[in-house]
Amino acid sequence: MDHDIHDVIDGRYKLLEVVGQGGHGVVYRALDQKRGAHVAVKCLHPEFASDPAFKARMRREARAMGALSGTSATQVFAFSEAPDGTLYIVMEFLKGRDLETTLRHMEAQNQRLPLDRLKELFRPIVDTLEAAHARGIVHRDLKPANIFVLETDPDGPSSTRSNGSPEYKNGPASVSPLLKSDPPWAIGDSNPPASGDDASSGPQIYAGAASRGCVRLLDFGLVKVMQADPLTREGAIPGSPSYIAPEVWKGRPQEIDHRIDIYSLGAVLFRALAGRVPFMGASRVDILLAAARGPRPSLHALRPDLPPEVDAWVAQALAITPEARFQDVRALWGALEPLLDRVARAPDGAARSGPVPP
């Protein structure tokens, strides 16, 4: 059923305002009346809630984020179906803005992210993707709009994830030094948790995981679990055109693996450094042809303050074939970071945020 502001989902989550919506669902800021904390509640539109494919996709999204508890993936507190048929996910409520908005604002002023800030934002994303890929989870829609930059560091005293509620500060989002076993509703199981169940029993990824950082990786709605049957139909093209790996355009989801995320991350990093996407065109077809057949762009030409070797990094990060790419996100980041550090060691290098050469 459709919901109005002030409705209470499942007797617990009072809807306060709409903070996002799309073709398949609505995201609300809500009050968890049991804990007195602000949360985000994502509800599937009624016309999709009874569709087994959409229910399976939402269930997979919740499990993927639950499996990545302790990383910079958006944290899930609950996933269930209310008595009225509403299928919903309860997540941490975030304050800030997405990286797309941040980059557009800077690009309009001919500025770029300072390199120290870029490293601060992307290190947690690399950690999160590494954890996801280790569990056979592929995001499939990496782009600046799906990287959310928080107003404050959530691991500091002014946490944004729970509006200051002490009950959430050491709950589902806390980092455990142990890798726990999967809970009953983890990836591969067909049953979501009971109404109101928390995701805190989910596995805490990686002993000694890094701080969750000042970013969140959003929207696992297109997530692919490599051990599971693909949900994307043959011929469908998931993802966003400027960040899609060439093999995705074939529309054969069974051939997709974690290396599409490596390509997409390379494209996002290129955008953050260059102020433009690597391949441009008037249509999706134009972008496809440029990405699948054209030469790899020169980042050094767009950012002469970066070492010339950065173009070899671009060529490998955005390689047309998966086999020619970096084979994991750690290798991609490990090859780029020393080049950024070299610039940072130069006078005023780390502080450079613009203007930059056209």
Side-chain angles (χ1 to χ4, degrees):
M1 63 175 289
D2 286 316
H3 292 281
D4 298 318
I5 301 304
H6 302 308
D7 283 355
V8 178
I9 302 291
D10 226 356
R12 177 169 177 176
Y13 304 104
K14 183 177 181 179
L15 306 181
L16 302 179
E17 63 174 326
V18 174
V19 295
Q21 53 188 322
H24 301 145
V26 182
V27 180
Y28 299 90
R29 179 172 67 91
L31 177 66
D32 180 346
Q33 297 183 125
K34 178 179 177 180
R35 293 184 168 173
H38 286 169
V39 295
V41 177
K42 180 176 183 177
C43 299
L44 201 61
H45 284 317
E47 59 267 33
F48 300 111
S50 59
D51 186 314
F54 281 102
K55 292 178 74 170
R57 177 163 289 172
M58 194 170 186
R59 181 175 294 120
R60 187 168 291 179
E61 177 181 10
R63 289 179 182 143
M65 291 189 293
L68 295 172
S69 178
T71 72
S72 291
T74 307
Q75 298 297 280
V76 173
F77 301 138
F79 168 52
S80 191
E81 184 169 1
D84 64 8
T86 299
L87 194 67
Y88 66 92
I89 302 175
V90 181
M91 303 172 286
E92 59 180 327
F93 179 68
L94 307 175
K95 296 180 181 179
R97 60 182 181 178
D98 61 59
L99 184 60
E100 176 68 32
T101 302
T102 300
L103 294 179
R104 282 182 181 271
H105 177 75
M106 299 193 75
E107 290 161 3
Q109 302 177 62
N110 198 30
Q111 294 182 340
R112 305 292 178 262
L113 283 171
L115 298 184
D116 280 351
R117 179 61 169 165
L118 182 143
K119 290 188 288 184
E120 180 185 26
L121 296 180
F122 280 92
R123 280 172 180 156
I125 297 300
V126 171
D127 291 342
T128 300
L129 289 173
E130 185 176 40
H133 295 167
R135 292 188 67 90
I137 298 170
V138 183
H139 188 282
R140 297 207 295 177
D141 196 19
L142 283 175
K143 58 184 178 180
N146 281 337
I147 297 173
F148 195 87
V149 183
L150 300 176
E151 286 182 357
T152 58
D153 185 345
D155 292 322
S158 54
S159 173
T160 63
R161 66 171 168 250
S162 64
N163 201 37
S165 168
E167 289 197 65
Y168 273 135
K169 284 189 175 180
N170 295 308
S174 63
V175 177
S176 167
L178 301 176
L179 180 63
K180 300 180 181 178
S181 60
D182 288 348
W185 61 282
I187 295 169
D189 184 48
S190 60
N191 298 314
S195 173
D197 282 355
D198 292 331
S200 55
S201 58
Q204 304 294 316
I205 291 298
Y206 284 173
S211 163
R212 298 184 69 217
C214 57
V215 293
R216 293 291 179 270
L217 184 56
L218 307 180
D219 198 358
F220 280 77
L222 287 176
V223 70
K224 174 185 173 73
V225 180
M226 288 183 282
Q227 292 82 5
D229 293 332
L231 290 174
T232 304
R233 68 185 185 278
E234 190 84 8
I237 300 175
S240 303
S242 295
Y243 306 96
I244 293 177
E247 65 268 25
V248 178
W249 294 89
K250 297 178 182 178
R252 295 196 288 268
Q254 70 277 8
E255 298 180 6
I256 290 174
D257 65 21
H258 70 284
R259 291 173 293 187
I260 70 168
D261 284 350
I262 294 169
Y263 181 98
S264 298
L265 179 61
V268 173
L269 284 163
F270 186 101
R271 162 81 183 281
L273 289 164
R276 45 153 278 195
V277 293
F279 303 104
M280 296 185 291
S283 67
R284 291 173 68 96
V285 173
D286 291 336
I287 297 171
L288 162 63
L289 292 175
R293 300 180 185 176
R296 305 301 91 174
S298 171
L299 181 53
H300 179 64
L302 297 166
R303 285 288 300 268
D305 58 313
L306 297 176
E309 296 92 324
V310 76
D311 284 345
W313 177 86
V314 171
Q316 190 169 357
L318 303 181
I320 294 172
T321 63
E323 295 76 16
R325 252 171 248 153
F326 294 103
Q327 295 300 292
D328 59 72
V329 290
R330 184 63 57 191
L332 176 144
W333 183 249
L336 177 63
E337 193 168 23
L339 301 179
L340 303 182
D341 290 341
R342 194 187 309 178
V343 178
R345 288 194 295 268
D348 299 325
R352 175 186 277 274
S353 60
V356 297

